[in-house]
Amino acid sequence: MTQEQEASLPQNTRSIMAFLREHAPFSGMDDNHLALFAEHAVLRFFADGDTVLSPEDGPVRTLNVVKQGRIQGERINAKTGEPETTFEISQGECFPLAALVGERPTQTLHRAAGDTFCLSLDHKEFVTLFSESANFRDFCLRGVSSLLDQVNQRIQSGAMASLGSSNSLDTPLERYALRNPIVCSPDMPVRKAVAKMHDNSVGSIIITDDQRFPKGIFTLRDLRTLVAEETCTLETPIGQVMTTNPHHLPATADAFEAAMLMAEHHFAHICVVDEDNRLIGVVSERDLFALQRVDLVHLARAIGTAPQLQTLVALREDVSRLVDAMLAHGADSGQVVKIITTLNDITVRRVLELNLKKNDPGIPFTWLTFGSEGRQEQTLLTDQDNGILFTTPEGMTADQVREKLLPFAETINRELAECGFTWCKGNIMASNPKLCLSTEEWDEWFLRFIDASTPQNLVYSSIFLDMRAIYGPIEPLQDLLDKVLTRIRKNALFQKMLAGNAFQRKPPLTIFRGFRYAPDGDRRSLDLKRQGLAPFVESVRVFALANGVATANTLGRMEELAKKGVFDAKDANAWQEAYSLIQAIRMRAHQEQLQQGEELSNYINPDNLNPLDRRILRESFRQAQRLQQKLEVTYQL
């Protein structure tokens, strides 16, 4: 918004905008978003002692900002039965964010302390602002109206500075770990443990035994829960309320491994141990990432706890920004695709969880994913490849189970499409009755699939032989895959048919090492997925299945095959590097397409690459040819 545009706004709107700029998060928001707030906000007056919000009012429908005066939070003391003030909200602070985002009643009575004026924004405009402003959304999801605001602010001010460009995600944790971490014994009262955290400006305390083995962890988030739910007193021994068996990593593990562990399990601290599993440090998510308003662990937690589909859709827009940030902080292409896949997994799980709350079909199931997601190799351009595996309950038939599960699956597929997972053109989706099968039906399907090596089955091999469970019990799928791998290892004819099919995926190089362009793209374009990555994926899959390698990830398969002696270690390293370089160029192209507002595509024109990138791409394709030569010799194609 220009100065002239702002000057044309009503005086009252400009006055509110000026006030908002003095307080977080509004100080970091765009003028257009401030104007939206100012134009729709209503100034409300509350006299001393007036009730502003109450748990009896039902789900909160307004965002409130204190413009003048104070708001006090009151709760009933469990011992005395009398109301007591638990927190105070002053000028420029928002309330009640947690209840508003969660679309629930507030758990605390909010009362005016003295004459107070609040700016109130209706729920409709709040949702608009939440969807359009990344800064505002980030602030809302982090939550600020709690008992521990002052402690949090002190911790934030003392947190490690933002990582510089020289810091890589491959950096060992010992570089980040807080040495001499704050510890206590299990019998220390919660009050003393929290005081110790406060005195040392840390957000966690590790509970250890006499040998300094980590037995538990207690964080500020645990304290919030303890106070809010009133499950015990502050004199309770911390060993009774700690999170037991905290996750830990050795000091030699890298930052990326810690970040992925945090993202997958939605926690913010990891213990760092020595070779004897004794505590030597603690790493927090803030130590690892300070990535300009969005980071992996925070975004994963926000997605995993999103209260509704609309929130998920809005959060998905942050994934591309995270990819930019990860690349800027040294993540390689293999790490980035794992990050994207992890966030995709969390999104799918949350869509399932939200729908199970609303309309549980009453049948336990395992949600399967195939293809690139099954291999954990997804980029920003992705479609749906999923299915359902279920155990038929006693007294029911598989068809009766399908009758219950298919409508549920249709809803999931539709909502995943709203989250950016495009519909599969080949209908490889759980809402397809052919992909919603019992354990016995999946077993029979794979038996026919392997025994009858039809052209269609060989096409299916690129999808269904890269399978993974992302929700529900994993044991039925593990049993199924064990049988499938055993059958393939014993079926030399099927292996040769797979190898022959993979050999047809020729890298796009001519005999003179020029580029062979994609037949279905723009003139002089290459399809980096089908022409560049697929020759590696298809060839490596054959060797992996033939040698009992269970992992579906292409880079992981190469590593396992090298360990088994199937691949020469130097060859495997060269093929891993070549595959990663093609993937990196593909992801960079996607980022550029997003920045230019173009539709995502796997096609690139090599003429638009600089000479070094063209050389790298050409050498990577040559490595794919070498891999296919090994396939040709091994299976006498």
Side-chain angles (χ1 to χ4, degrees), residues 440-482:
E440 295 77 16
E441 289 171 328
W442 274 112
D443 190 42
E444 293 172 4
W445 190 92
F446 273 107
L447 185 61
R448 296 193 304 271
F449 171 84
I450 295 169
D451 288 346
S453 302
T454 64
Q456 183 60 56
N457 281 356
L458 293 173
V459 172
Y460 283 157
S461 69
S462 64
I463 302 173
F464 297 110
L465 291 178
D466 298 336
M467 182 189 297
R468 190 166 56 89
I470 60 174
Y471 185 87
I474 194 173
E475 292 79 10
L477 178 62
Q478 289 176 330
D479 293 341
L480 175 66
L481 290 179
D482 287 344

Side-chain angles (χ1 to χ4, degrees), residues 313 384 411-423:
V313 173
Q384 295 190 51
T411 301
I412 301 300
N413 288 145
R414 184 178 65 253
E415 294 190 356
L416 287 177
E418 292 185 49
C419 291
F421 300 85
T422 58
W423 296 96

Side-chain angles (χ1 to χ4, degrees), residues 5-26:
Q5 289 173 323
E6 183 169 336
S8 67
L9 296 173
Q11 172 62 34
N12 184 53
T13 299
R14 285 185 279 128
S15 175
I16 293 176
M17 291 175 65
F19 167 79
L20 293 174
R21 288 193 183 102
E22 297 176 359
H23 305 281
F26 308 103

Side-chain angles (χ1 to χ4, degrees), residues 381-456:
L381 176 59
T382 184
D383 60 1
Q384 295 190 51
D385 288 322
N386 46 53
I388 286 178
L389 179 153
F390 61 83
T391 300
T392 307
E394 187 175 350
M396 295 183 69
T397 66
D399 286 336
Q400 289 173 329
V401 174
R402 257 186 297 279
E403 189 175 343
K404 288 181 172 289
L405 288 177
L406 287 175
F408 177 82
E410 290 172 3
T411 301
I412 301 300
N413 288 145
R414 184 178 65 253
E415 294 190 356
L416 287 177
E418 292 185 49
C419 291
F421 300 85
T422 58
W423 296 96
C424 176
K425 295 179 181 178
N427 199 24
I428 309 297
M429 295 187 293
S431 53
N432 181 345
K434 295 180 180 179
L435 296 175
C436 179
L437 304 175
S438 69
T439 304
E440 295 77 16
E441 289 171 328
W442 274 112
D443 190 42
E444 293 172 4
W445 190 92
F446 273 107
L447 185 61
R448 296 193 304 271
F449 171 84
I450 295 169
D451 288 346
S453 302
T454 64
Q456 183 60 56

Side-chain angles (χ1 to χ4, degrees), residues 260-300:
M260 295 302 292
L261 197 60
M262 288 179 179
E264 184 177 354
H265 296 285
H266 300 168
F267 52 69
H269 299 83
I270 288 180
C271 297
V272 181
V273 298
D274 61 17
E275 57 187 12
D276 296 320
N277 285 332
R278 289 187 173 90
L279 182 72
I280 60 173
V282 176
V283 172
S284 73
E285 62 177 289
R286 287 193 181 93
D287 296 332
L288 294 177
F289 301 109
L291 301 181
Q292 299 176 352
R293 309 183 199 289
V294 65
D295 63 60
L296 171 61
V297 182
H298 169 55
L299 182 56

Side-chain angles (χ1 to χ4, degrees), residues 578-592:
Y579 178 86
S580 297
L581 288 168
I582 297 171
Q583 190 73 280
I585 293 174
R586 179 189 179 208
M587 287 191 299
R588 190 175 65 195
H590 287 169
Q591 292 301 103
E592 291 173 354

